[in-house]
Amino acid sequence: MITVHHLNNSRSQRVLWLLEELGLEYEVKFYQRNPKTMLAPKELLAVHPLGKSPVITDGELTIAESGAIVEYLLERYDQGRLLPAAGTPERLRYRYWLHYAEGSAMPLLLLQLIFSRLPKAVPALIRPVASMIAGGFRKQMIAPQLGRHLHFMEAELGKAEWFAGAAFSGADIQMSFPVEGLRARGGLDGRYPNLLKYLEAIHARPAYQRALERGGPYGLLS
């Protein structure tokens, strides 16, 4: 039996979605973030030395990292539905977007989150200065890069309905988290109709909705 060690409002939500798409049985063990620090609880250290989520156990195996989990589940359990055939252009695009999600998109969103919270994390006396520095960094450094990536993704989805091509794949599950993050706090708006259409399409999938029922409230959608 596969167990998903599920942290609220985290990347592990898309692991639940993938399992629902594959029609696999699984268990969910819930973990809650510290409401003040938003960090994962220490109990996750008993599952993986880094104490992070997502992480799954499958028999004696423990697999962490979103991309590694997606690859493992598709290579072991997929039957040609969500993993494009080897040697095809779609397989290459699948692999690219699988790694792009965490390697290129998420670091920018993490910087955006850190600098948006920075003024509140320092003593009140220096908050005006911290706010000015953080705002300047976001405007001069982060926002232009986010805009470049948004334009890139928008153009790519103009070539095909899904990130890997004409068919929905595991790459779309992996990309859901950064695109939802961009919609929530990264500048994704009506200027990017292809990305908004993509979000509507994934949110309408029955497996996506079942995963939300299993995983509980998902803060990125609020």
Side-chain angles (χ1 to χ4, degrees), residues 150-151 154-155 179 182-184 186-200:
L150 280 164
H151 279 38
E154 174 73 10
V179 177
L182 286 164
R183 179 58 169 158
L188 173 53
D189 54 28
R191 294 171 293 173
Y192 308 99
N194 294 331
L195 282 165
L196 293 179
K197 181 181 177 182
Y198 161 82
L199 283 178
E200 291 178 1

Side-chain angles (χ1 to χ4, degrees), residues 18-209:
L18 175 56
L19 290 166
E20 290 291 342
E21 292 282 358
L22 293 173
L24 298 175
E25 294 185 4
Y26 62 95
E27 297 177 341
V28 183
K29 186 170 183 181
F30 292 91
Y31 301 82
Q32 294 294 315
R33 295 181 184 275
N34 183 302
K36 292 184 179 180
T37 66
M38 297 305 293
L39 297 176
K42 294 181 178 179
E43 288 81 0
L44 269 171
L45 288 168
V47 184
H48 189 275
L50 294 180
K52 301 290 185 178
S53 180
V55 58
I56 68 169
T57 51
D58 188 8
E60 297 182 355
L61 295 175
T62 299
I63 304 109
E65 293 292 341
S66 301
I69 292 170
V70 171
E71 286 192 297
Y72 167 78
L73 291 173
L74 292 185
E75 289 173 3
R76 180 162 184 177
Y77 296 108
D78 185 59
Q79 297 180 347
R81 293 175 297 165
L82 303 181
L83 182 61
T88 63
E90 290 77 12
R91 182 63 166 264
L92 182 59
R93 288 180 61 85
Y94 155 85
R95 183 175 292 114
Y96 173 80
W97 291 109
L98 189 73
H99 294 284
Y100 169 91
E102 294 295 326
S104 294
M106 284 308 301
L108 285 171
L109 282 168
L110 181 59
L111 285 173
Q112 175 85 326
L113 179 63
I114 290 172
F115 279 91
S116 67
R117 292 182 175 177
L118 180 62
K120 298 179 181 180
V122 300
L125 186 63
I126 61 173
R127 282 178 187 170
V129 176
S131 180
M132 181 177 65
I133 294 173
F137 189 85
R138 290 171 63 191
K139 181 178 180 180
Q140 298 297 324
M141 302 295 293
I142 301 175
Q145 287 296 318
L146 284 174
R148 180 176 297 178
H149 283 266
L150 280 164
H151 279 38
F152 170 59
M153 287 183 277
E154 174 73 10
E156 290 297 303
L157 284 179
K159 299 175 184 178
E161 182 178 359
W162 301 104
F163 277 104
F168 177 82
S169 75
D172 296 296
I173 294 175
Q174 181 75 338
M175 282 297 297
S176 65
F177 195 85
V179 177
E180 287 173 337
L182 286 164
R183 179 58 169 158
R185 59 183 66 93
L188 173 53
D189 54 28
R191 294 171 293 173
Y192 308 99
N194 294 331
L195 282 165
L196 293 179
K197 181 181 177 182
Y198 161 82
L199 283 178
E200 291 178 1
I202 65 173
H203 292 164
R205 293 183 72 86
Y208 184 97
Q209 297 171 15

